Amino acid sequence: MRLFRQKQDFIPLGLLGLAAIISLREYKTSQHFAHLSQFYFQSEVPASGNDGDDEPDEEKRILGTQQRSLVVACGDTLSSMLKDMGISLQDIDAITRALSKHYNVKNLQIGQSIDVVWESGEDASKLTRLETVDSAGNAIKLEATESGYTTSVCKRMLVAQLKSVSGIVTTNFAIAAQQNGIPNAVAHEAVRALTPLINVGRLKSNAAFEIVFEEKLDANTKKLVGKRQLKYAAVSVDGKLHKVYSFGNRYYSESGHSLKTEFLIVPIRSRSVRISSRFGMRLHPIFRVMKKHCGVDYEARYGTDVCAAASGVVVSACSYGGYGLYVRIRHANGFETAYGHLSAILVRKGDCVNQGDRIGRVGSSGHATGPHLHHEVIRHQIHVDPQKYLSIGSGKLTGHDFERFKQYKDEIDRTLKEDNAHTLSGDISV
Ligand SMILES: [Zn+2]
């Protein structure tokens, strides 16, 4: 994507997310973004009747000293950006080699800002200065000298601060998040974090939410460094409060229970659970051929309760070929679980279920020789052995870890109290 032609003005930060995910061609063809493309990408948009692929730019190069803040978009490399400025390939090579002492140019991040100063000539341009800040907040500086380029690095002091935002859903959560100024990446992460508890995509209007995220600023310039991190998300629906705290690399409920999906429980509510067929190749009991068994069969009496192996959202609840009556649940972190041969389904598509909730009853619908539960675990679209993901512990923080979690939670709660006149209330969901 060529976003940084000489003729263009500085591109507002707000558009970068769009720029990163939508190709310029899509801008041109999309009615919805037509006004944006004409305004921000004037030099790229042909007047009419042209797909914009084949017409060379006839604009004239502006000569003399130029200065600009470039922002890395999807598909950009340092080389491509310098090339767009008119820097020769030989110089690009020298610049990349000089930078490599302090910085790997392959580590450029989408949205990263690069300040450049260059001399624009008739035939080629010459870079005189380049400054950027890496993901760790270090300032990288490159300057042209008579013999080539020199680079230096300045370790920066970072200040972390927590920010809280609360709001009410009117149309849907995505729009409400945007209207309340929650950065896109934080809003996406909040949806992901809350998925084990509630289907955020289907939140009704008037649902209240709170988000706390952390951002790191350069101590001197007060500019944002790196990505914003979600620390806490809560939604209150029908008087029920769903809260998640990010701690370490996981999300926890207020009581310190991990919401990580790896902690699956055996989905049968019965005193004695017996596995009648394991995951892997087996002689199919009905078709008498060797076939991979994509799940685990639990032997159980007809009508025994079947429960959700982890919290999530029901994505199927129907009759499904050889599976008979079938329920499938989507969980966090790319996990899904499925339950087949049921005699009754107790949930509907779109329902949010907590770990251990009743979702159906054991039966022998579909291709089954007798009453049993066929249980599958799917991770990133691939069937995996459910037994490898059974809960080893409860996933609850204990001892010193729990003390640290409590301190962390108190800090989040203090931020919420300071920033909001009143915080969300309701029964805690977990
Ligand atoms: Zn089976």
Side-chain angles (χ1 to χ4, degrees), residues 277 282 293-297 341 372-376:
S277 182
R282 67 166 186 180
H293 188 223
C294 291
V296 163
D297 289 347
H341 310 310
H372 73 280
L373 171 71
H374 171 84
H375 176 53
E376 293 179 358

Side-chain angles (χ1 to χ4, degrees), residues 84-367:
D84 283 355
M85 287 159 50
I87 310 286
S88 72
L89 291 177
Q90 201 180 357
D91 277 354
I92 291 173
D93 187 47
I95 291 163
T96 308
R97 267 189 285 118
L99 277 173
S100 68
K101 286 176 196 155
H102 297 296
Y103 184 62
N104 185 351
V105 295
K106 285 181 184 162
N107 292 339
L108 278 189
Q109 308 271 320
I110 292 174
Q112 184 172 337
S113 180
I114 305 175
D115 296 331
V116 281
V117 179
W118 75 101
E119 289 296 327
S120 183
E122 286 283 357
D123 301 320
S125 299
K126 174 91 180 154
L127 186 77
T128 46
R129 204 166 70 229
L130 180 150
E131 285 181 39
T132 191
V133 177
D134 68 14
S135 54
N138 304 314
I140 317 289
K141 204 171 178 179
L142 171 136
E143 271 178 306
T145 62
E146 283 184 4
S147 57
Y149 297 93
T150 59
T151 50
S152 60
V153 63
C154 171
K155 301 268 181 198
R156 292 216 171 165
M157 282 284 291
L158 296 180
V159 181
Q161 62 179 34
L162 291 176
K163 280 195 162 183
S164 77
V165 183
S166 57
I168 307 280
V169 173
T170 48
T171 314
N172 62 47
F173 177 74
I175 292 175
Q178 205 173 34
Q179 285 169 344
N180 284 278
I182 298 172
N184 269 348
V186 174
H188 282 148
E189 191 55 28
V191 171
R192 206 173 75 86
L194 284 162
T195 294
L197 304 178
I198 190 160
N199 186 347
V200 181
R202 288 166 64 104
L203 275 184
K204 290 181 224 146
S205 53
N206 292 328
F209 63 87
E210 279 173 344
I211 304 283
V212 175
F213 61 93
E214 183 191 71
E215 52 185 30
K216 291 189 176 119
L217 304 180
D218 183 300
N220 296 320
T221 64
K222 307 289 182 241
K223 273 188 183 173
L224 180 72
V225 177
K227 290 180 182 167
R228 296 176 174 97
Q229 303 283 336
L230 177 75
K231 293 291 168 185
Y232 163 86
V235 174
S236 173
V237 185
D238 299 332
K240 201 171 183 190
L241 186 56
H242 307 270
K243 285 181 170 190
V244 290
Y245 291 83
S246 163
F247 182 66
N249 291 324
R250 287 184 181 170
Y251 291 110
Y252 291 87
S253 69
E254 192 168 36
S255 53
H257 281 91
S258 169
L259 299 177
K260 203 170 179 186
T261 320
E262 270 92 341
F263 295 102
L264 299 176
I265 57 169
V266 173
I268 286 276
R269 280 209 188 147
S270 171
R271 272 195 206 141
S272 61
V273 177
R274 201 183 82 83
I275 290 177
S276 52
S277 182
R278 293 177 188 277
F279 180 89
M281 293 302 286
R282 67 166 186 180
L283 186 66
H284 194 279
I286 293 176
F287 304 119
R288 312 305 299 170
V289 289
M290 287 303 283
K291 210 170 169 238
K292 188 175 178 186
H293 188 223
C294 291
V296 163
D297 289 347
Y298 290 104
E299 206 177 70
R301 286 220 319 269
Y302 194 90
T304 304
D305 283 343
V306 173
C307 56
S311 302
V313 179
V314 176
V315 290
S316 295
C318 57
S319 177
Y320 183 39
Y323 285 96
L325 292 183
Y326 172 86
V327 171
R328 189 161 170 143
I329 303 174
R330 192 183 63 227
H331 312 284
N333 308 323
F335 274 89
E336 292 185 73
T337 54
Y339 312 79
H341 310 310
L342 304 175
S343 61
I345 292 176
L346 305 176
V347 286
R348 280 185 304 183
K349 189 178 172 184
D351 281 356
C352 298
V353 290
N354 287 319
Q355 187 173 59
D357 280 358
R358 278 195 318 157
I359 56 166
R361 293 202 186 95
V362 169
S364 56
S365 57
H367 298 150

Side-chain angles (χ1 to χ4, degrees), residues 48-61:
S48 63
N50 190 326
D51 67 3
D53 257 2
D54 44 10
E55 290 292 315
D57 247 341
E58 288 179 8
E59 65 196 80
K60 281 213 170 133
R61 190 188 292 282

